[in-house]
Amino acid sequence: MTKEQKIYVAGHRGMVGSAICLEFKKQGYLNLVYKTSEELDLRDQNAVNDFIADEKPDIVIMAAARVGGILANSSYPYTFLYENLVIETNVIHAAHSNDVQQLIFLGSSCIYPKLAPQPLKEDYLLTGPLEQTNEWYAIAKISGLKLCEALRKQYSRNYVSLMPTNLYGPRDNYDLETSHVLPAMLRKFHEALPNQSVNLWGSGMPRREFLHVHDLASAVLYVMENKPDYNLYNVGTGKDITIKELSYLIQEITGHRGEIRWDRSKPDGTPRKLLDVQRIKELGWSDTIKLREGIEHAYTWFLENEAVEKQG
């Protein structure tokens, strides 16, 4: 690889895409191309193909997706399935049709069966039923990684899929209707009065693993620079905590002192979701940002940008 190669980052304004662009620029990869959703609708197959044909990127990073938490997935199943299928299919097919040799597709750990053994190995894919609360998004992501795998087998493309665990960090989604658990907690504790109670979903007993988005960005760069042997890699820390433990940590960071109330009428989701990250560690990558440090960083970003939004 050379640092002059042209890299197209799809989804560059999102939490993941923006972190990838930042990491690439820090490491000297400055020939980056991207378009906003207003400039290029990734759901438009002809427009996507024309863009790839005109730009002729050497590498494509597929970080664009319709994302959301349990509530969003449950409320908009067709939207999550259809839009993610169309977006990823258009970009991957356009890359292949225009002879792009290298592509990294980003998915999610929700692709694995709900009750698969822990920690989740890449080999557990398609060995059991999915978690119903996010199966629509999971099916779309499974389709994307299988499309990359098929191109790798049939055409020897260097197309690789990375499946990150639960992500958080700068530019996360803090909308309580569509956000994931960690940013939702940050906002709830922040907006509550110091001694006011905070209501959280479920029992607090499920276990989750969290990865700072800057660590994911470093993994994308590492895989891009080191030709991998496998088509699928988990990306995570290999450590998890309960949702209740996470709530105490965020409560402490935000300075909240009120009662935490658990609404057991709301779904817990998958009981545990911990990734086996041995495969990517053997490739040579590992995470560096500890959970407390990462949440403090995310909360600082939230505070700074909330102030900007209020002023605007």
Side-chain angles (χ1 to χ4, degrees):
M1 286 194 61
T2 67
K3 295 193 175 179
E4 289 72 36
Q5 286 183 296
K6 184 182 286 188
I7 304 170
Y8 167 47
V9 181
H12 74 284
R13 291 199 298 184
M15 177 177 68
V16 173
S18 60
I20 290 171
C21 289
L22 179 63
E23 180 68 19
F24 280 17
K25 289 174 182 177
K26 283 170 56 179
Q27 301 304 324
Y29 292 93
L30 303 180
N31 192 7
L32 305 179
V33 293
Y34 31 71
K35 291 283 187 180
T36 66
S37 57
E38 293 79 16
E39 295 170 325
L40 176 64
D41 185 351
L42 295 180
R43 296 168 298 183
D44 184 332
Q45 185 179 56
N46 290 331
V48 173
N49 190 73
D50 289 346
F51 170 75
I52 297 293
D54 291 341
E55 289 291 347
K56 296 180 174 57
D58 299 293
I59 302 163
V60 170
I61 308 298
M62 184 54 193
R66 176 69 176 260
V67 298
I70 290 177
L71 179 59
N73 272 268
S74 301
S75 302
Y76 308 105
Y78 175 78
T79 304
F80 272 80
L81 180 57
Y82 171 75
E83 290 199 2
N84 282 299
L85 280 173
V86 170
I87 289 170
E88 66 198 22
T89 300
N90 286 346
V91 174
I92 294 169
H93 181 66
H96 167 62
S97 298
N98 290 282
D99 204 31
V100 176
Q101 295 295 319
Q102 187 172 11
L103 181 146
I104 296 178
F105 175 74
L106 296 171
S108 166
S109 58
C110 69
I111 64 168
Y112 294 111
K114 177 178 180 176
L115 299 178
Q118 301 288 324
L120 296 164
K121 297 179 182 292
E122 290 87 349
D123 294 339
Y124 295 164
L125 181 65
L126 298 177
T127 59
L130 300 166
E131 163 58 45
Q132 290 184 340
T133 55
N134 56 21
E135 66 175 328
W136 314 103
Y137 182 71
I139 289 170
K141 287 301 179 181
I142 291 170
S143 300
L145 76 87
K146 282 297 182 181
L147 193 58
C148 290
E149 182 182 357
L151 287 167
R152 190 179 177 92
K153 286 185 175 181
Q154 188 171 341
Y155 294 96
S156 299
R157 296 292 193 201
N158 183 17
Y159 287 12
V160 180
S161 297
L162 303 184
M163 296 298 127
T165 189
N166 299 287
L167 298 170
Y168 69 99
R171 295 179 179 82
D172 208 339
N173 173 21
Y174 290 92
D175 184 332
L176 294 179
E177 293 295 315
T178 58
S179 62
H180 290 100
V181 60
L182 194 154
M185 279 190 188
L186 266 177
R187 180 166 181 177
K188 282 187 175 184
F189 282 115
H190 171 76
E191 292 185 347
L193 296 174
N195 295 307
Q196 182 181 13
S197 63
V198 168
N199 296 317
L200 299 177
W201 277 30
S203 66
M205 299 313 295
R207 301 187 67 87
R208 291 292 182 270
E209 175 186 15
F210 297 95
L211 180 73
H212 195 281
V213 71
H214 287 177
D215 270 339
L216 173 62
S218 74
V220 171
L221 178 61
Y222 190 88
V223 169
M224 186 181 78
E225 292 181 331
N226 298 272
K227 190 172 182 179
D229 296 323
Y230 298 94
N231 67 282
L232 174 60
Y233 287 84
N234 289 335
V235 186
T237 65
K239 302 174 184 177
D240 62 359
I241 64 171
T242 67
I243 296 298
K244 187 169 288 188
E245 289 169 332
L246 176 67
S247 72
Y248 295 151
L249 179 56
I250 293 177
Q251 183 182 43
E252 182 180 339
I253 289 170
T254 57
H256 181 265
R257 298 185 297 275
E259 179 186 4
I260 300 174
R261 296 177 179 175
W262 297 93
D263 183 354
R264 292 175 178 266
S265 69
K266 302 296 184 182
D268 269 335
T270 305
R272 191 184 189 194
K273 195 164 62 172
L274 175 66
L275 292 182
D276 184 311
V277 293
Q278 188 61 33
R279 182 177 288 183
I280 197 166
K281 284 192 173 184
E282 289 176 353
L283 188 64
W285 177 88
S286 61
D287 65 293
T288 61
I289 302 173
K290 303 303 181 184
L291 186 58
R292 172 180 282 276
E293 174 194 353
I295 295 176
E296 289 173 346
H297 179 237
Y299 187 47
T300 298
W301 184 92
F302 172 79
L303 293 175
E304 291 172 350
N305 285 269
E306 184 203 34
V308 170
E309 287 181 8
K310 286 183 176 179
Q311 289 173 3

